[in-house]
Amino acid sequence: MWRRSASFVLDKHHNNKPISLTPSLDSMAEVNPNPNPNPNPNPISAYYQTRAKHHGIVTSDWLEQAQAAVVRYPDKDSPVAGRRPFSVIEEFDCWRQQPDLAEAVAAVRALAAVIRASEATTMMELEIELKKASDTLKSWDTTSISLTAGCDLFMRYVTRTSALEFEDFNAAKARVLGRAEKFGEISYKARKIIAVLSQDFIFDWCTILVHGFSRVVLEILKTAAQNKKLFRVLCTEGRPDKTGVLLAKELAKLDVPVKLLIDSAVAYSMDEVDMVIFGADGVVESGGVINMMGTYQIALVAHTMNKPVYVAAESYKFARLYPLDQKDLEPALRPVDFGVPVPPKVEVERSARDYTPPQYLTMLFTDLGVLTPSVVSDELIQLYL
Amino acid sequence: MESRRNPRAVVDPKVRQVGFFTSSQPDSTHQPDPIASESHPVASSISPSGNSLSPVMIPPPRHNSSDTFPLRAAAAAASAVSPSSFSYSTRRDFPDGSMTASPGRVSRASFSKPSSSLPGVGMDSMAAAKSSSVPASGLTTVSVVNMPPGLSEKESDQKKNSKPLKEKTTKAERRALQEAQRAAKAAAKAEGGKAPLVSSGSVASTNVKAAKPAKPSSQKNDVAVAAPGPSEKKGGQTEKDRKKDAPHPRMQYDDESRVVKAKRRAVVKQTEAKNRVELFRHLPQYEHGTQLPDLETKFFQLDPMHPAVYKVGLQYLSGDISGGNARCIAMLQAFQEVVKDYSTPSEKTLNRDMTAKISSYVSFLIECRPLSVSMGNAIRFVKNRIAKLPITLSESEAKAALQSDIERFINEKIIMADTVIVKHAVTKIRDGDVLLTYGSPTAVEMVLLHAHELKKKFRVLVVDSRPKLEGQLLLRRLIKRGINCTYTHINAVSYIMHEVTKVFLGASSVLSNGTVYSRVGTACVAMVASAFRVPVLVCCEAYKFHERVQLDSICSNELGDPNAISKVHGREDINYLDGLTNNANLQFLNLMYDATPSDYISMIITDYGMVPPTSVPVIVREYQKEHSLV
């Protein structure tokens, strides 16, 4: 009945069938917390679950669903671990709990641990093991772009070495391990590098608009504050995550003047803004970014009013996706709490993220340097060729 | 002073010799068009012959994006190309007073015309030298004219050029005589001493080549430019000549002298269309319908031409094979046959001889129908492989290696590339989609069929246009497989665009700035789609990418048969334009290609994956790197 856009067809489709994951591989896959076909049509993206945990936001809705999820999957910590002495998911989990560590970095560290603990005797075996572990991690949460991208890039980086031609397996393995750790280090330090690179763009007395709670952006602002720059920050509220409040709290600790806006007040305040800075969940091949819901509309407003839009993203977030429109992504849903119970028969748009096309972005701050959006594809081609 | 220059709309800058040069590199002067020498893949087989440049030479730039303007080309030619072209330019006073963009052309033109208008004299000296029907010529095509040398020339020349010739006979005539005699001497010398050249079948062309290097060398002597002996120059020149035998595929056809020379070498007798659009005079246009029967009769007389190549040429002429991939594959398979039947003549090396042969076949194919970019890239690849053949291989090994290389190219770059493209493109098709496509692109057809096999629910809108009506072929094939289709013409594209969710287009080539060069009408469809914010996806194999840049659809295009526009197939009652073909107030324009700017393209799907139009230069670079390593 709502003709015109195929997106509507897609939506209907998705409402009728629950999100199912990539074909399960081995026993590892059972560990994933996402639902199988079931009466509950509202799966929660694990990625946002983690973020929610980090932020300590607990809404009533969320609690309910979390409890329901637990009930359904009581075997989360069970015999799976027993089947293999080393579980990549466990490793990943324990890295992931640290709020300061990006998910992809945790994955990289977990994969490096896989290599270390591997009992393979040939390069092929090692590679196959790595591939399996990587696939497991990816399937744990298919909605997380940085996780998928990070795993993929790690695999390319590590197996791209000529170490594979070494005669001595141990030497080769050591070499591969070295590369893996190096990649982990680079990814871990990426935030610092980005912070340093972006200092030139923040000048005294500027006003920065920020959306969403990105740890990279926080790092940038922290470093700027430490460098004694004078600037002020406008934070959007970031409903329903309320990330704006958190970010405001952090910034206030740094003595940076902060002002909180409701999401609808962005256009109203855009006049006094000098630049907009976002983080990113993922950077896609066209040069666009996938980020928390609301990013696209802020970018549109900023573009219309000729304000520069900067995106701070580590290079392991470059993904081989190419969305053509908003619905061309893997849907990632999250609970939306309106404070009052939602009336029956009313649908709620629950997508957690949107796609901002590259023409609205001015620059990308990455650990590879300050780049224009068209460079993303160049980098990917060179890496994947 | 004495001659009437060919009318040219553009005044070209004066060219002055600059710098330190020797005169042993006439490659640009032997080009019918120095512009072209800088850019076209066929001519850029200069690269294998790069080693024959003397150390002082400044090799001509391979990639020149400003090749559309004769002015700039002149400047570029002047600055970068060999000094021998300068030598021509300094002789400005001789033939006529003004400068031209292609100095070599005019000078030589003046030589050739007088000699041909004095057939008796010219022929004698020529005959004495056993030169072919082609006296002093800039055009280094190897394609041999079948008819007895003197006749064809006389006829064609007198028919076309009687007017301009008359004015140039005085000084030019005397000089031409001189040149002819010198050429005869030099040719006789050259023939004896020259090592690798084409087989006996094209002895005439051999002599042509020998004569040509002799010509410029003698001319240079006249100029008293720092000049080592003629033999040295010949040695340096011939190889390059041979490599650039084809009349440049992007030759500018509005210079009459050039056209005449090209004709003399032509195997395919084409009569030029009379009533041509002024803006497109730089593109070749011939009377359609005259060549095919002519060529068919000559099928068994064509010694130097391999029958497989001849067949492919005929198929191009008649329009049986059309579409970038089909033409390229047909040509490469013909080349495989050539390699199979090839045997090295004595005292010649396989590399050079084979390259010369291929060049001659290519020039024949160009005469049948101008090369597409895909074919150009394939030819560049083949010549590259031939040049890279190690000398130590025996003939049969070399032949086998070449054949397998060509086979691999077809498989990897075309067939498997298509599979990869289909795999990527199919992920973008969702249930409920309405896909629009234009014309009959092979890649898109494969995508649609595969998506249908995967049981995706979508429907297709096929947009078509006159006069080719290629969309009907696609429509038939889709319907046969049970895909739900709608068919319309391009005039209705803005009417139906609101219900379209994605547009899939094919491409003949993608240029470095992201411009898509494809069947005429594609740009319209892409622009309307972009206005409706419908994503446009272009499916194109990576071997069709080219490093040149084109800003409009005019500077490089192909003109089709103008009569196809005035007539509607099957409707004899629509004859309003009958009898108006030769009307001075009316010109028919049937363009074959157009250029779509990159702003209207959302994504390009290649065998390297899905890339934004801004990444095309990266792919071109990677592709060339891959090839130079291979």
Side-chain angles (χ1 to χ4, degrees), chain B residues 21-176:
Chain B
F21 54 86
T22 64
S23 43
S24 55
Q25 188 190 4
D27 51 345
S28 69
T29 61
H30 285 275
Q31 280 302 40
D33 181 9
I35 300 167
S37 67
E38 289 145 14
S39 55
H40 199 88
V42 175
S44 57
S45 53
I46 297 172
S47 51
S49 68
N51 48 6
S52 52
L53 291 176
S54 81
V56 188
M57 277 310 123
I58 310 167
R62 298 270 316 272
H63 318 300
N64 185 1
S65 58
S66 59
D67 58 0
T68 58
F69 296 97
L71 272 172
R72 293 222 232 125
S79 57
V81 179
S82 76
S84 46
S85 59
F86 299 164
S87 65
Y88 283 93
S89 61
T90 56
R91 318 183 59 223
R92 205 44 51 213
D93 56 329
F94 157 60
D96 38 56
S98 57
M99 297 294 148
T100 66
S102 47
R105 275 196 238 165
V106 178
S107 328
R108 259 174 270 117
S110 51
F111 297 146
S112 57
K113 283 174 198 158
S115 54
S116 58
S117 65
L118 308 171
V121 179
M123 277 313 105
D124 287 348
S125 53
M126 283 309 110
K130 276 202 312 172
S131 301
S132 75
S133 45
V134 212
S137 62
L139 223 43
T140 61
T141 355
V142 184
S143 48
V144 177
V145 181
N146 273 333
M147 305 198 213
L151 293 164
S152 58
E153 250 174 55
K154 259 193 282 191
E155 285 166 5
S156 54
D157 289 348
Q158 277 161 6
K159 256 190 291 189
K160 306 282 172 216
N161 303 318
S162 36
K163 257 215 205 135
L165 286 180
K166 296 220 174 75
E167 282 93 294
K168 295 194 186 175
T169 53
T170 49
K171 203 174 174 190
E173 171 196 333
R174 290 195 300 273
R175 180 161 293 282

Side-chain angles (χ1 to χ4, degrees), chain B residues 323 437-445 463-464 470-474 477:
Chain B
T437 182
Y438 175 73
S440 167
T442 43
V444 173
E445 186 184 331
V463 175
D464 202 4
E470 294 173 317
Q472 291 183 351
L473 299 168
L474 175 65
R477 293 194 281 257

Side-chain angles (χ1 to χ4, degrees), chain B residues 228-274:
Chain B
S231 48
E232 212 182 289
K233 280 179 232 133
K234 263 180 283 161
Q237 291 153 10
T238 358
E239 214 174 288
K240 273 170 243 110
D241 290 349
R242 252 176 284 115
K243 297 250 163 73
K244 280 164 251 118
D245 285 327
H248 207 279
R250 298 184 65 221
M251 181 171 114
Q252 304 292 63
Y253 283 80
D254 46 2
D255 189 345
E256 258 197 51
S257 50
R258 270 272 167 271
V259 173
V260 165
K261 255 168 290 179
K263 248 206 249 299
R264 244 176 261 130
R265 261 168 201 60
V267 181
V268 183
K269 281 291 146 223
Q270 316 223 39
T271 51
E272 272 179 56
K274 297 285 185 299

